Amino acid sequence: ESEFMAGHVDNAINIPLAILDKRLNELKKTETCYIYCRSGYRSMIAASILSKHSFNNIINIKKGYEGIIDITRTCCCPKTINQ
């Protein structure tokens, strides 16, 4: 919980790995699930659990939230200027 509060992707759902199997009903098997944790290890396990429960649209963010942060720091995106 504290890890999630320290930083997460907008609209993310926090489901700790230890209780993932009890909360599978909160996820839709027909939607793409982007799975990440802080560094990528637990998300790899979570993706495996989801796969075993017939979730087919799983994308594991292998470098985790740290990788997402690294990408956004180095990404050069155009800014919108409101006038």
Side-chain angles (χ1 to χ4, degrees), residues 15-54:
I15 303 178
L17 182 60
I19 60 170
L20 175 59
D21 60 335
K22 295 178 176 101
R23 293 181 59 187
L24 291 173
N25 63 328
E26 295 178 33
L27 306 172
K28 295 180 181 174
K29 291 183 179 183
T30 57
E31 292 183 358
T32 301
C33 293
Y34 295 88
I35 311 298
Y36 72 92
C37 62
R38 183 181 52 80
S39 62
Y41 180 71
R42 285 168 289 142
S43 66
M44 177 184 63
I45 296 169
S48 177
I49 291 169
L50 291 174
S51 181
K52 288 179 185 177
H53 284 89
S54 301

Side-chain angles (χ1 to χ4, degrees), residues 44-79:
M44 177 184 63
I45 296 169
S48 177
I49 291 169
L50 291 174
S51 181
K52 288 179 185 177
H53 284 89
S54 301
F55 285 82
N56 297 317
N57 301 316
I58 303 165
I59 297 175
N60 178 27
I61 310 298
K62 294 181 181 177
K63 292 187 179 182
Y65 188 70
E66 291 176 352
I68 294 169
I69 295 300
D70 287 344
I71 289 169
T72 58
R73 284 185 188 144
T74 59
C75 179
C76 186
C77 303
K79 295 182 181 180

